[in-house]
Amino acid sequence: MRENMGEQLTVDDMARAALFSKFHFTRIFQRVTGVSPGRFLSALRLQQAKHLLVTTSLKVADISLLVGYNSVGTFSARFSRSVGMPPTTYRRRAGFAPQILSEEDGATTSSGAQVSGHIREHSGSEARLVFVGLFVDRIPEGKPVRCTVLNGSGRFKFEQVPPGTWYLLAQSLPADGEADDAPDGHGICVASHGPIVVGNETVVEVEVEPRPVRALDPPVLLALQDTRKLALERMAEDEARDDRAPNLAPVAKGTSPSGVPTFAVGRRQMMRMGTASRPAA
């Protein structure tokens, strides 16, 4: 797939290369990656397009052809839907999103369902920021149903989760912003859990641990949160808190006295803190 991304590959072509029947190849591939071969190839194409947009001066039309799209209009529409912004905007912002909004922003629900859990820090990892979101698919793309940004390992909690089947996906980035959207996922750790079936009163508890991206992990298509900006905001908040209350008893790093720090994201206040882990296959 990676070597022939610009060609019009079919599942038959991939199965033939693997010396399997089409149906046997599809079953094995989906069991290993969690998504179909066609879905995985589509995600790889958009991931490569993200990389080319920020590392080359190629025109959007040329990039669309290089990653297997015959129509630049179709490419731009799919890129915008999956990544969260048009290709030209993605290039202008150097591959980072200033904020990630969820479907919760501007919407209301009467659901009493909750999805909460604990994000464990990957062994040997340094200070990291963790994006956690609920998505409709194993591939992180488009608007999440609920999301938050966590400051290292800790707990998260999503309330009023709408009924449905969701996947919890986590993306861990160095707090200094030293990560990129290259196809090899340099500097990025990921984790997922699901499917999670949610009813009106469902309460779900999960635990995940982000680990370095592997070749068979579905690509993260959602634009990376600008961790550099978040890191500066966090430092400013910590300094302001220290100036306001120098005599307070020390609080665990990354938490408020109540244990649930928040910061503004979009029109809503969202929890900050936590870590994530990969889902059971």
Side-chain angles (χ1 to χ4, degrees):
M1 289 186 190
R2 298 180 191 276
E3 295 175 358
N4 301 282
M5 207 170 297
E7 299 180 13
Q8 298 306 306
L9 292 176
T10 67
V11 176
D12 287 315
D13 296 329
M14 292 182 258
R16 198 160 37 243
L19 302 179
F20 287 126
S21 72
K22 173 181 177 179
F23 301 106
H24 186 54
F25 171 75
T26 299
R27 282 195 300 270
I28 293 176
F29 192 95
Q30 187 142 6
R31 186 167 67 239
V32 173
T33 67
V35 297
S36 69
R39 187 77 181 83
F40 195 91
L41 175 59
S42 177
L44 282 181
R45 285 173 167 158
L46 292 178
Q47 183 189 44
Q48 178 66 10
K50 290 168 64 180
H51 180 59
L52 292 174
L53 282 166
V54 297
T55 59
T56 74
S57 59
L58 290 170
K59 295 180 180 179
V60 172
D62 294 332
I63 290 175
S64 69
L65 289 173
L66 284 174
V67 299
Y69 285 87
N70 293 324
S71 166
V72 66
T74 299
F75 165 72
S76 295
R78 292 184 180 175
F79 188 97
S80 300
R81 184 173 64 248
S82 296
V83 179
M85 65 185 76
T88 51
T89 303
Y90 184 84
R91 168 173 275 168
R92 186 173 68 250
R93 292 177 173 170
F96 289 97
Q99 61 187 25
I100 298 177
L101 300 178
S102 73
E103 296 289 356
E104 181 182 18
D105 292 275
T108 59
T109 176
S110 59
S111 170
Q114 297 180 359
V115 176
S116 59
H118 182 259
I119 303 296
R120 295 197 310 167
E121 190 170 353
H122 182 68
S123 59
S125 62
E126 300 178 356
R128 304 182 74 86
L129 293 173
V130 184
F131 168 81
V132 185
L134 287 177
F135 292 84
V136 298
D137 199 358
R138 285 190 183 274
I139 296 178
E141 63 178 340
K143 275 190 175 183
V145 176
R146 295 289 184 271
C147 66
T148 187
V149 176
L150 314 174
N151 181 16
S153 60
R155 291 192 57 79
F156 66 91
K157 184 177 182 180
F158 298 133
E159 298 182 316
Q160 295 185 329
V161 177
T165 300
W166 315 113
Y167 290 87
L168 179 78
L169 301 165
Q171 183 179 348
S172 172
L173 309 170
D176 59 6
E178 291 299 319
D180 57 49
D181 264 347
D184 62 1
H186 172 70
I188 301 174
C189 291
V190 295
S192 62
H193 185 91
I196 301 172
V197 180
V198 174
N200 281 321
E201 301 297 330
T202 302
V203 176
V204 178
E205 175 79 13
V206 301
E207 181 171 323
V208 290
E209 178 183 346
R211 51 164 177 69
V213 174
R214 299 180 300 191
L216 292 177
D217 287 328
V220 175
L221 297 184
L222 192 66
L224 294 176
Q225 182 86 22
D226 193 341
T227 56
R228 299 163 299 181
K229 180 173 179 290
L230 287 173
L232 291 174
E233 290 176 350
R234 183 187 63 185
M235 292 170 61
E237 290 170 0
D238 290 344
E239 290 175 358
R241 184 174 61 241
D242 292 342
D243 291 341
R244 287 196 304 269
N247 297 320
L248 289 179
V251 178
K253 182 179 181 181
T255 65
S256 66
S258 63
V260 186
T262 62
F263 68 97
V265 176
R267 293 185 292 272
R268 292 209 175 219
Q269 287 292 106
M270 297 199 306
M271 294 172 53
R272 190 178 74 183
M273 310 305 300
T275 91
S277 119
R278 203 64 169 156

